[in-house]
Amino acid sequence: MAASRLSLRAHRSCSLARVLISRHGLWTTHGPLALGTPALSNPVVSTPASSVSGASGGSPSRSYSSGDAGGSAGDVAGSDVSPGELAGRKAAEGLQVLGVVGAGQMGSGIAQLGAMAGMRVVLADVSLAALDRGMGGIKESLGRLVMKGRMDEAAAALTLSRIHSSVELTPMEHADVVVEAVAESESVKRNVIARLDGIAPHHAVLASNTSSISITRLAAATSRPDKVIGMHFMNPPVIMSLVEVVRGLATSEHTLHLTKGLAHRFGKQVCEARDYPGFIVNRLLMPMINEAFYTLLEGVGTAEDIDRGMRLGTNQPMGPLHLADFIGLDTCVAIMRVLHAGLGDAKYRPCPLLVQYVDAGWLGRKTGRGVYEYPGHGVRSDDSSQGKEGEVEGGAEKPVQGRQHHGKRAGH
């Protein structure tokens, strides 16, 4: 009888989520930003950064109502917050419009964070199909939060109403901060940053979600290098608690503190990195993933055994090969090439097996095939920014193991 009541309750929750998704079509595919829309209908409710889970990949633990947003400047976590950081948090509370370029799984997640924090958001992408997928992913994510009881329907509807999408960059002329989340290519990112420099207002901060590319070089493509900074969200942005903030050579103290304040407003914790290839997270993570591919290539273990060994032996939530599939194998190759070129050490050379998977179009979960197979999750293989949002949990899905490759490590 108890099981039946639980089942009925779950069914009702799913129904509520479906009603929410179908009833509140409050965004437009390529409509202009409604500048008259208030940023908040209720005061900001603070969210301590510690309430958002970390590397374990869990979901945010707090619940949202229609009056809630992200963290607030009044929520000071301890006495170690410097006057500059406190000023940055207060300044971040005054930001009203967030621009996001790139509607893939990272860009759409960042847009959702901004809307949940009470900001009006413009989500731009050159592809109408990418915008449709991105907005669809946001609706699904909010629906899951409603279904799990972490957000009420009114708050989810209000969040959706704050997001507007566009196939043009022109609406970025209203943005206080713009985060680019396009493909991990320096030439692509430099082009986007340079275009934004000519559109966004002079006071706007231009942030890059790059996970490895030099912020100093990206800033050099603009007339405002002091206002360019790295704001590297972890995947998926809504779930993961960390933002890696990267200061370029010319980035000002004000921009640094404002960006850290914005991350705090989103309910995130921050690690600050110097502008070196790979920064902190990927300088450590990607060589581990690359070595896992060498271990697979040499036949030291199967993919499942390699992942199981690292999950259970080192207490990681996901094995390195499964994590690589989730990140995108093309992104892994791109980052390894940045590390190899920037640091000049052969140990950063991408594993030939990893490169071969990318050449075959096996990019991971977003294309339905990587080291493992993911039935029903394929999107397309020609855009590294695309993919369907999911939670980083070792047991989130049980993929079918893909083909194994054995042999000696090339060049050794």
Side-chain angles (χ1 to χ4, degrees):
M1 179 67 90
S4 298
R5 285 197 296 269
L6 287 172
S7 177
L8 178 60
R9 190 177 300 122
H11 173 74
R12 287 174 177 169
S13 297
C14 290
S15 297
L16 283 173
R18 285 194 293 269
V19 168
L20 166 72
I21 291 170
S22 62
R23 183 183 297 166
H24 300 290
L26 300 175
W27 53 276
T28 59
T29 305
H30 45 78
L33 176 65
L35 293 178
T37 304
L40 284 171
S41 61
N42 292 294
V44 173
V45 177
S46 64
T47 305
S50 59
S51 71
V52 184
S53 65
S56 63
S59 302
S61 59
R62 73 166 308 225
S63 298
Y64 293 83
S65 66
S66 58
D68 288 356
S72 84
D75 172 32
V76 180
S79 59
D80 58 341
V81 179
S82 69
E85 290 184 355
L86 182 57
R89 292 183 183 185
K90 291 180 179 179
E93 287 301 320
L95 301 175
Q96 296 186 38
V97 182
L98 172 69
V100 181
V101 183
Q105 62 186 32
M106 296 303 296
S108 60
I110 296 167
Q112 181 179 335
L113 282 172
M116 289 171 64
M119 301 181 75
R120 300 195 300 275
V121 180
V122 180
L123 178 61
D125 198 293
V126 294
S127 167
L128 197 58
L131 286 171
D132 288 341
R133 284 194 299 270
M135 291 305 303
I138 292 170
K139 286 189 172 185
E140 290 178 7
S141 177
L142 292 172
R144 287 194 297 271
L145 290 175
V146 172
M147 183 176 66
K148 295 176 181 179
R150 294 173 181 157
M151 175 180 281
D152 62 34
E153 287 194 51
L158 184 58
T159 298
L160 280 174
S161 73
R162 294 181 180 130
I163 305 174
H164 300 261
S165 59
S166 174
V167 292
E168 303 289 341
L169 291 181
T170 308
M172 301 303 169
E173 65 186 358
H174 304 294
D176 297 308
V177 176
V178 184
V179 180
E180 69 78 14
V182 297
E184 190 71 1
S185 161
E186 182 168 344
S187 61
V188 173
K189 288 183 181 292
R190 279 178 62 91
N191 179 60
V192 169
I193 290 284
R195 290 181 62 195
L196 289 171
D197 184 45
I199 297 173
H202 180 70
H203 73 272
V205 168
L206 305 181
S208 173
N209 186 51
T210 180
S211 55
S212 61
I213 296 169
S214 169
I215 299 301
T216 300
R217 290 201 300 269
L218 294 179
T222 75
S223 62
R224 62 179 94 187
D226 59 314
K227 297 183 179 70
V228 178
I229 195 166
M231 196 174 189
H232 177 209
F233 291 82
M234 304 298 118
N235 186 19
V238 175
I239 302 299
M240 300 300 284
S241 64
L242 182 71
V243 173
E244 187 176 35
V245 173
V246 185
R247 184 176 185 175
L249 186 64
T251 305
S252 69
E253 286 283 331
H254 173 75
T255 299
L256 174 66
H257 292 315
L258 181 67
T259 304
K260 293 172 75 171
L262 181 60
H264 180 264
R265 181 174 173 180
F266 289 170
K268 305 301 184 184
Q269 297 186 50
V270 169
C271 70
E272 183 181 338
R274 295 179 65 185
D275 188 18
Y276 277 79
F279 316 135
I280 294 173
V281 175
N282 281 326
R283 175 77 175 266
L284 299 172
L285 174 64
M286 286 300 157
M288 180 188 73
I289 287 176
N290 199 51
E291 194 63 26
F293 272 91
Y294 272 121
T295 306
L296 180 62
L297 174 66
E298 295 172 354
V300 177
T302 65
E304 287 185 342
D305 282 331
I306 292 168
D307 280 345
R308 185 181 299 113
M310 294 304 291
R311 279 195 300 108
L312 303 182
T314 63
N315 201 30
Q316 297 184 30
M318 296 179 75
L321 297 174
H322 190 183
L323 179 58
D325 274 356
F326 189 91
I327 294 170
L329 303 191
D330 52 338
T331 300
C332 294
V333 168
I335 295 171
M336 288 305 301
R337 285 175 173 159
V338 168
L339 291 173
H340 191 204
L343 299 172
D345 195 318
K347 71 181 181 180
Y348 297 113
R349 181 164 50 88
C351 175
L353 179 59
L354 173 58
V355 174
Q356 188 177 42
Y357 275 37
V358 173
D359 289 344
W362 296 0
L363 307 186
R365 189 175 188 265
K366 62 189 173 185
T367 58
R369 182 71 183 265
V371 177
Y372 301 95
E373 293 180 357
Y374 303 84
H377 283 92
V379 178
R380 67 182 191 183
S381 62
D382 61 341
D383 188 341
S384 63
S385 70
Q386 304 305 319
K388 186 174 180 180
E389 181 184 344
E391 297 186 7
V392 183
E393 296 180 0
E397 57 191 350
K398 190 166 182 63
V400 179
Q401 185 173 328
R403 184 184 309 169
Q404 300 300 305
H405 296 257
H406 305 283
K408 293 183 178 180
R409 180 186 299 200
H412 290 264

